Amino acid sequence: MQVETKRRNPKMSEPTLYSTLLIDGQLVAGEGLVEAIINPASGEVLTAIAEASLEQVEAAVQAAHRAFVGWSRTTPAQRATALLAIADAIEQNAEQLARLESLNCGKPLHLARQDDIPATADVFRFFAGAVRCQQGQLAGEYVPGHTSMVRRDPVGVVASIAPWNYPLMMAAWKIAPALAAGNTLVFKPSEHTPLSILALAPALAQILPPGVLNIVCGGGEGVGSQLVGHPRVRMVSLTGDIVTGQKILQSAARTLKRTHLELGGKAPVIVCNDADIEAVVEGIRTHGYYNAGQDCTAACRIYAQAGIHDRLVRELGDAVASISFARKKDSDNEIGPLISARQRDRVASFVERALGQPHIERVTGAAAHSGAGFYYQPTLLAGCKQSDEIVQREVFGPVVTVTRFDQLSQAVDWANDSEYGLASSVWTQNLDKAMQVAGRLQYGCTWINTHFMLASEMPHGGLKRSGYGKDLSSDSLQDYSVVRHIMARHGQQLD
Ligand code: NAD
């Protein structure tokens, strides 16, 4: 199969075409339900998107199935060429994509420009390189007279289902490794945030052969579950809620599909007496509230050792109260709103129940913003106990709790006493202590004296109910491929 970039600088669609799906290489209007797309920063309707109909989802899966034969036989170099072209297209259209990401999620435009767009392009570039230098077991004669070798082959048609917190970045995490490994895809963005990936669809249609990547919009129970139940889909990859992961597992069991689940998080942050408190305050102010806390790795569950507890609560409270949001000038804002009124109300109800407990103290925040949009004040709650709902459950909003501890082993036990297992951090100036704690934490990632930092080269994914399977890194290429053993029996020995 010839894989080449058909145009050097693929241009994206005009605003009126943001609503076209990508099916079998064609940009087509949806024929299903029409859903309003809201700007969470104002609460106003941005546009309306017609979702994919049952027939269109079927057409997308069949197109991916047909395209698999050709795409799975391309060389890593050919696939890398396509991924590099996608990265270039993202950069060439960076301003428009950032603007859509900002409008659709409400996040500050300068942050979408500075963080989301470069990180998205980097993921495509990483997988373009990684697929060309994969490593594995040596070929050899493990049975006399027979040579064995191992292949890694693509799985088939992958249905990828994404959340709303970082629409383009999550699309890249799902699309890039799956395409690099030789799979074909049907990608479904969140029903709340389809605009940026739909705007990129014309460029994708120019870069990739028809059917290799299809994009369909729609809700989870409709389009999502049709994809998960489809017999031609061989693998389902989800980033989303634990309950969604459970539903997908149940449905995928019927056809024994491979699954890749990146679910929620409730990251513990252990702060020892010997930590650099200024760095902790700055780190949590940034990484506990980034994206209004709508991040599965958000530094949201602090365990503070008794010697620094009061100072940390006081200084962090002041710092959190200074986080700017809902200001007219974009560059004045550090965080955006919650994605919807429903999500804001859900966050508010968590905080309300927490403050109904006499031992929990409001340090700052704890109210919805009174102006337009779905903003919630950056909130810090102290005096929380391990068994409190606000310590145990994912809030997915700008809410951080503090729990006091005396012995470090107690903090590690509490940190591990969670259904979640995605991300964690420990803050201390004693490296021996940091390494011991990092070794005992049951989380997919542990940061030392920082939090939230991601690298395309490093695996990201959870343990326990945070799911399984890795995004980013060459581990992800393995998740999107299957190991096969090829064994050849030899004829007579030469001598
Ligand atoms: P969600 O589970 O409601 O939705 C995620 C996606 O799943 C959406 O596209 C939705 O349409 C789809 N979906 C819902 N029900 C479905 C069904 N029955 N069948 C098929 N598809 C279905 O999650 P959300 O509210 O969009 O995102 C927030 C959640 O995502 C949080 O729990 C957060 O922690 C998690 N998350 C995890 C990671 C990670 O890397 N682990 C990253 C980002 C977000």
Side-chain angles (χ1 to χ4, degrees):
M1 171 181 288
Q2 201 60 26
V3 180
E4 55 185 26
T5 308
K6 293 183 192 154
R7 245 167 61 182
R8 201 168 273 275
N9 178 7
K11 282 277 176 258
M12 297 193 313
S13 53
E14 293 306 310
T16 48
L17 295 178
Y18 288 158
S19 55
T20 49
L21 315 178
L22 176 59
I23 300 175
D24 203 9
Q26 302 296 313
L27 299 167
V28 293
E31 292 166 1
L33 292 174
V34 176
E35 292 288 346
I37 304 295
I38 311 286
N39 178 349
S42 64
E44 289 164 1
V45 174
L46 276 173
T47 184
I49 298 282
E51 299 181 345
S53 63
L54 289 177
E55 293 75 19
Q56 287 180 309
V57 175
E58 178 65 26
V61 176
Q62 296 297 350
H65 177 70
R66 284 193 302 277
F68 181 72
V69 178
W71 186 251
S72 61
R73 291 180 193 160
T74 52
T75 62
Q78 288 173 313
R79 297 197 292 276
T81 301
L83 294 185
L84 292 172
I86 294 173
D88 290 348
I90 290 166
E91 285 181 348
Q92 283 151 8
N93 296 288
E95 190 53 34
Q96 188 187 19
L97 290 172
R99 198 170 53 79
L100 286 173
E101 206 74 328
S102 167
L103 283 172
N104 203 170
C105 302
K107 62 179 75 185
L109 175 60
H110 69 282
L111 293 180
R113 254 189 220 132
Q114 162 198 307
D115 298 342
D116 297 51
I117 304 301
T120 302
D122 187 62
V123 169
F124 282 99
R125 294 219 168 91
F126 167 74
F127 283 107
V131 73
R132 300 188 68 177
C133 50
Q134 287 185 279
Q135 303 203 341
Q137 198 177 353
L138 294 182
E141 291 68 50
Y142 297 94
V143 173
H146 298 71
T147 297
S148 285
M149 66 199 86
V150 162
R151 293 176 58 96
R152 270 208 169 264
D153 285 342
V155 183
V157 176
V158 177
S160 284
I161 300 176
W164 40 256
N165 52 350
Y166 303 102
L168 260 190
M169 217 178 349
M170 291 299 107
W173 287 19
K174 305 221 154 288
I175 292 170
L179 285 185
N183 303 283
T184 54
L185 275 92
V186 182
F187 176 78
K188 188 190 91 58
S190 164
E191 55 273 38
H192 298 293
T193 54
L195 296 189
S196 51
I197 193 70
L198 291 181
L200 192 62
L204 296 169
Q206 288 171 23
I207 292 166
L208 295 164
V212 168
L213 172 60
N214 304 273
I215 302 173
V216 292
C217 295
E221 298 294 339
V223 172
S225 57
Q226 189 186 348
L227 285 173
V228 176
H230 200 292
R232 286 234 193 267
V233 170
R234 301 288 177 218
M235 174 170 173
V236 179
S237 164
L238 166 78
T239 297
D241 196 59
I242 289 180
V243 174
T244 309
Q246 288 167 326
K247 285 186 193 163
I248 282 178
L249 269 183
Q250 279 169 353
S251 169
R254 286 190 211 113
T255 41
L256 275 181
K257 288 180 173 51
R258 180 180 275 236
T259 51
H260 183 280
L261 302 175
E262 294 282 358
L263 307 177
K266 184 78 184 175
V269 178
I270 299 177
V271 186
C272 303
N273 281 339
D274 59 3
D276 173 348
I277 296 302
E278 277 179 30
V280 175
V281 169
E282 180 54 31
I284 297 170
R285 182 187 186 278
T286 307
H287 304 309
Y289 298 89
Y290 187 82
N291 211 34
Q294 299 166 110
D295 190 297
C296 48
T297 67
C300 59
R301 182 163 55 110
I302 302 173
Y303 295 102
Q305 201 158 16
I308 48 84
H309 173 275
D310 293 355
R311 178 182 165 203
L312 178 63
V313 169
R314 193 175 58 247
E315 293 186 13
L316 185 58
D318 291 345
V320 171
S322 74
I323 294 174
S324 54
F325 63 96
R327 299 205 179 148
K328 278 217 168 79
K329 194 170 158 205
D330 179 83
S331 57
D332 286 346
N333 292 313
E334 293 175 273
I335 64 171
L338 281 307
I339 193 69
S340 61
R342 186 163 169 262
Q343 182 69 9
R344 180 202 54 203
D345 296 346
R346 183 175 173 272
V347 170
S349 68
F350 267 115
V351 174
E352 214 170 282
R353 287 193 296 277
L355 290 174
Q357 311 256 31
H359 57 272
I360 297 186
E361 173 205 347
R362 183 194 83 95
V363 182
T364 186
H369 175 59
S370 53
F374 311 135
Y375 292 92
Y376 193 82
Q377 293 174 355
T379 297
L380 183 67
L381 303 177
C384 302
K385 293 185 183 162
Q386 179 63 11
S387 55
D388 290 335
E389 179 198 47
I390 198 86
V391 173
Q392 291 290 334
R393 289 193 53 199
E394 183 186 43
V395 175
F396 221 57
V399 179
V400 172
T401 63
V402 185
T403 301
R404 182 196 294 261
F405 73 90
D406 291 309
Q407 301 301 323
L408 190 50
S409 58
Q410 173 74 91
V412 173
D413 288 348
W414 278 341
N416 285 336
D417 169 33
S418 169
E419 292 299 339
Y420 296 99
L422 185 63
S424 55
S425 63
V426 53
W427 300 71
T428 167
Q429 297 191 61
N430 179 328
L431 188 62
D432 288 351
K433 201 188 287 181
M435 294 307 291
Q436 285 181 37
V437 172
R440 283 182 53 191
L441 286 172
Q442 295 157 355
Y443 286 83
C445 174
T446 297
W447 289 285
I448 297 171
N449 292 329
T450 186
H451 198 105
F452 189 72
M453 307 305 292
L454 297 174
S456 295
E457 294 81 356
M458 289 293 131
H460 171 86
L463 311 178
K464 300 186 266 180
R465 291 199 201 177
S466 289
Y468 48 78
K470 298 295 177 200
D471 283 325
L472 306 177
S473 80
S474 50
D475 290 295
S476 177
L477 281 178
Q478 303 213 347
D479 287 350
Y480 286 101
S481 58
V482 287
V483 171
R484 298 182 55 231
H485 172 205
I486 309 293
M487 181 187 257
R489 184 167 70 88
H490 309 156
Q492 291 290 322
Q493 297 291 327
L494 285 184
D495 45 15

